[in-house]
Amino acid sequence: MKEDILLKFTNAELLIDDSAYEKIIQQENSVQVADSLIKDISSSNKDFFVLTESVVDNFLQQYLSNYQAPESKLKSDLETNYETQNETVKMPQSKLMDIPLDFHVLKDASKKSYTNGEIKDFTAYFNSRFQKLKAMLTKKPGLRESAPIKEAGNRDGVVNVVGMVNDIRNTKNNHKIMEIEDETGEMTVLIHNENHSLFEQAESIVKDEVIGVIGSKKGTLVIASELIHPSVPRIEEKTMDFSAVFISDIHIGSSTFQEEAFNNFVNWLNGDFGDETQQDIANDVRYLVVAGDVVDGIGIYPHQEEELTIKNIYEQYEEAARLLGQIDNVKMIIAPGNHDACRLAEPQPAIPENYAEDLYKLKNAEFVSNPSLVSLDGFKTLIYHGRSFDDLAMTINGLSHQTSDLIMKELIEKRHLAPIYGERTPLASEYEDHLVIEEIPDIFHTGHVHINAYKKHKGIHMINSGTFQSQTEFQKIYNIMPTCGEVPVLNRGALKVLKFT
Ligand code: D5M
Ligand code: FE
Ligand code: ZN
């Protein structure tokens, strides 16, 4: 019987791996199952190179629920649809390959974001940030009793407040002085260096973030005993029964864009590149997220034209459409970065259609803002290009472009994607701060630094997706060694990195 089953797959020109085969022969009616599976795959349009256990599992789920659960149904189906063991089973086509995408854009700032640039917007912007983060903080056990800063400043004893950081600096004696404010007033907080763990925690506090402070008032100073970030609770990890691919910083149009690696990547997604294991993963991919810097752009830095092979922004996006247009059967979600033809101030609206007409013609592409929140089959995915990483790497001791996983963790804990205002990350003075991390994502995807990183923090997959651009002159000066053509894939909940160089 074993040989019969193998022969069936061979005759159908289907390769089957050991675990998938084991799974089939464990079934009571294994010959029927094999026949049905072969018929089902043959009638679907999907190319299978190797049949894996997960494909069999998916199929069995459908098969068993359709044909074995209610016995009466099974009997009546037997009369009309089933046959004896050696004949072909007439089954309705499996939904295996046709499970509709459950894709939603949960948050996109493209249309909501507007400003007339007046100074009152600036105040409205910071007020929005403060109120959103304060609401999170005052739900935390230590801060439910928090008082307005003015009120807390007028009495001695225990202080329990929420404030936005105006300044944080080291004193001569190497303590830290932090100025915080709310809508009622300001307060000066001392973080004593003998309180080692608190002092260490304070090393990563930056200007314009919102935190809770518990301490005691001594004269005009408050001595901090606890510093509380908005933070996130550990989330329950869901079972992921598909794969999603994360890329960014393709930099099409640059002379350092690695076209061959990108073509290998596209061929892999289409099932035409890689070994069996890699092709198995490709078969499972439902989503491709692109976190910005799709093209290299024009006039992004001085003398950029010397490093461009395509010197026209429209043509850069035409080339992007040609390359991405080859990808079949995968939903693409595309956000902009600082090299795309968008306003630079964040939130950046989606790549404008008038610059990227051909790209917009791709039926499987969706354009979102930077940042944005989308749902991939129920997995909330926060997409952010990562411009603020430049500021955080510069400001916080121990953080660098090489450790974007640690930067992502800081941002999650601060519940803000770009906490520092007025440095390298231009932030639009909107009436609302769209960069507050209001919803806790399952996946946090970033780019910009051109170096892969991955860490799971409190159940959140934090992924930085490297680049398809080899080292540039600029990066040589800063000794940035990019991870080029090495693509992170969340394969049924496990991170795998596939190499295309
Ligand atoms: O960023 C490409 C790389 O260069 C990435 O590692 C960040 C780094 N970079 C970019 N701009 C800056 C500034 N202003 N300071 C420090 N490092 C920077 P890309 O966005 O692709 O040009
Ligand atoms: Fe980039
Ligand atoms: Zn960038």
Side-chain angles (χ1 to χ4, degrees):
M1 187 184 76
K2 276 187 177 182
E3 283 71 19
D4 284 350
I5 289 181
L6 274 181
L7 197 62
K8 280 174 190 290
F9 284 96
T10 312
N11 288 342
E13 295 183 347
L14 288 167
L15 293 174
I16 177 164
D17 76 12
D18 287 351
S19 53
Y21 175 71
E22 287 297 326
K23 198 83 188 202
I24 292 168
I25 61 166
Q26 279 163 16
Q27 305 305 311
E28 245 176 44
N29 47 351
S30 55
V31 177
Q32 271 185 23
V33 169
D35 281 335
S36 306
L37 180 55
I38 290 168
K39 183 139 199 287
D40 185 59
I41 292 167
S42 309
S43 60
S44 75
N45 293 326
K46 186 86 184 170
D47 276 336
F48 274 94
F49 291 90
V50 183
L51 203 61
T52 60
E53 188 180 1
S54 66
V55 174
V56 175
D57 277 342
N58 275 336
F59 171 79
L60 285 173
Q61 249 177 12
Q62 291 284 328
Y63 182 85
L64 297 176
S65 68
N66 281 348
Y67 296 101
Q68 286 191 349
E71 223 186 298
S72 57
K73 185 167 175 278
L74 179 65
K75 276 181 187 153
S76 65
D77 278 352
L78 262 176
E79 284 165 13
T80 50
N81 286 342
Y82 271 66
E83 28 66 88
T84 56
Q85 268 204 340
N86 294 325
E87 287 167 356
T88 319
V89 177
K90 270 195 220 149
M91 274 181 57
Q93 198 176 318
S94 152
K95 292 183 203 79
L96 180 64
M97 283 302 126
D98 299 320
I99 303 165
L101 294 175
D102 183 14
F103 173 80
H104 305 278
V105 178
L106 301 175
K107 262 190 191 176
D108 183 297
S110 297
K111 290 167 197 86
K112 281 184 218 135
S113 120
Y114 59 92
T115 176
N116 60 14
E118 285 177 19
I119 193 72
K120 69 174 179 339
D121 298 342
F122 183 80
T123 323
Y125 172 77
F126 276 112
N127 201 39
S128 162
R129 174 187 295 203
F130 182 66
Q131 295 306 338
K132 284 183 187 195
L133 292 167
K134 181 181 163 189
M136 292 177 198
L137 281 162
T138 51
K139 286 196 188 82
K140 296 174 82 83
L143 294 167
R144 285 203 193 111
E145 316 298 319
S146 67
I149 283 181
K150 187 171 180 196
E151 197 184 307
N154 283 339
R155 51 174 196 237
D156 282 335
V158 175
V159 163
N160 185 326
V161 290
V162 170
M164 182 179 281
V165 177
N166 273 343
D167 189 29
I168 179 156
R169 58 184 183 274
N170 281 2
T171 66
K172 293 202 294 290
N173 300 324
N174 200 30
H175 304 296
K176 277 186 195 297
I177 287 283
M178 178 170 74
E179 313 276 356
I180 58 169
E181 75 170 314
D182 68 3
E183 61 275 64
T184 67
E186 291 178 354
M187 180 173 271
T188 305
V189 180
L190 179 90
I191 299 136
H192 204 286
N193 62 17
E194 274 174 16
N195 191 339
H196 297 297
S197 63
L198 198 71
F199 191 82
E200 194 180 318
Q201 191 193 348
E203 294 276 24
S204 63
I205 291 175
V206 296
K207 209 164 72 62
D208 307 319
E209 72 169 285
V210 178
I211 59 165
V213 176
I214 299 177
S216 54
K217 195 155 172 289
K218 300 252 159 54
T220 55
L221 271 186
V222 169
I223 317 293
S225 56
E226 214 179 316
L227 300 165
I228 302 172
H229 289 287
S231 183
V232 291
R234 175 166 293 282
I235 59 164
E236 200 179 313
E237 284 178 56
K238 301 173 195 148
T239 311
M240 187 180 194
D241 58 6
F242 64 98
S243 298
V245 178
F246 300 89
I247 63 169
S248 61
D249 303 275
I250 317 174
H251 289 268
I252 293 162
S254 161
S255 53
T256 41
F257 165 54
Q258 297 297 296
E259 184 166 354
E260 198 185 325
F262 197 74
N263 278 328
N264 291 341
F265 166 68
V266 169
N267 291 337
W268 165 73
L269 271 180
N270 288 341
D272 298 331
F273 181 87
D275 61 24
E276 279 178 22
T277 321
Q278 291 169 334
Q279 291 190 356
D280 285 347
I281 299 173
N283 274 331
D284 213 33
V285 172
R286 283 159 73 79
Y287 299 97
L288 166 65
V289 187
V290 186
D293 286 359
V294 176
V295 298
D296 205 54
I298 305 285
I300 308 291
Y301 55 86
H303 308 296
Q304 187 191 11
E305 60 284 358
E306 291 159 21
E307 296 181 54
L308 290 177
T309 47
I310 307 173
K311 295 179 176 24
N312 173 305
I313 188 75
Y314 296 95
E315 288 171 20
Q316 288 183 0
Y317 282 114
E318 277 166 26
E319 180 64 359
R322 188 185 70 76
L323 291 165
L324 291 168
Q326 296 166 36
I327 296 171
D328 295 326
N329 292 323
V330 172
K331 174 96 182 164
M332 297 188 272
I333 299 99
I334 303 174
N338 53 309
H339 281 252
D340 285 294
C342 280
R343 79 159 187 201
L344 270 184
E346 296 175 7
Q348 291 186 282
I351 294 169
E353 187 170 355
N354 57 334
Y355 283 108
E357 275 180 18
D358 287 357
L359 211 46
Y360 270 78
K361 284 183 197 144
L362 303 182
K363 289 200 174 59
N364 52 341
E366 195 89 29
F367 298 88
V368 292
S369 63
N370 168 42
S372 55
L373 184 71
V374 298
S375 171
L376 315 176
D377 288 0
F379 279 71
K380 278 190 214 161
T381 304
L382 177 60
I383 308 166
Y384 177 57
H385 179 61
R387 189 75 204 270
S388 70
F389 293 9
D390 295 337
D391 292 329
L392 287 142
M394 242 180 39
T395 311
I396 302 179
N397 263 339
L399 296 189
S400 69
H401 284 100
Q402 280 73 28
T403 57
S404 61
D405 51 342
L406 301 181
I407 301 183
M408 283 190 266
K409 179 180 156 224
E410 282 300 328
L411 299 182
I412 296 271
E413 290 298 303
K414 296 181 196 309
R415 298 288 288 264
H416 201 286
L417 292 168
I420 305 172
Y421 190 92
E423 295 293 336
R424 293 177 193 204
T425 313
L427 297 175
S429 298
E430 307 281 349
Y431 293 110
E432 190 187 339
D433 187 345
H434 297 282
L435 283 98
V436 174
I437 304 173
E438 288 179 270
E439 281 194 56
I440 303 169
D442 301 296
I443 300 167
F444 180 23
H445 174 209
T446 61
H448 186 59
V449 297
H450 292 207
I451 300 168
N452 281 3
Y454 171 77
K455 203 185 205 77
K456 212 188 272 179
H457 177 58
K458 296 186 181 167
I460 303 170
H461 296 280
M462 306 190 303
I463 303 167
N464 191 294
S465 53
T467 181
F468 276 94
Q469 184 182 38
S470 58
Q471 197 185 42
T472 62
E473 290 303 316
F474 174 87
Q475 290 161 3
K476 256 181 218 157
I477 298 167
Y478 287 90
N479 206 18
I480 294 169
M481 304 296 289
T483 33
C484 184
E486 298 183 24
V487 175
V489 180
L490 207 48
N491 173 229
R492 298 187 171 240
L495 193 96
K496 305 210 166 128
V497 177
L498 303 189
K499 261 185 113 156
F500 297 102
T501 46

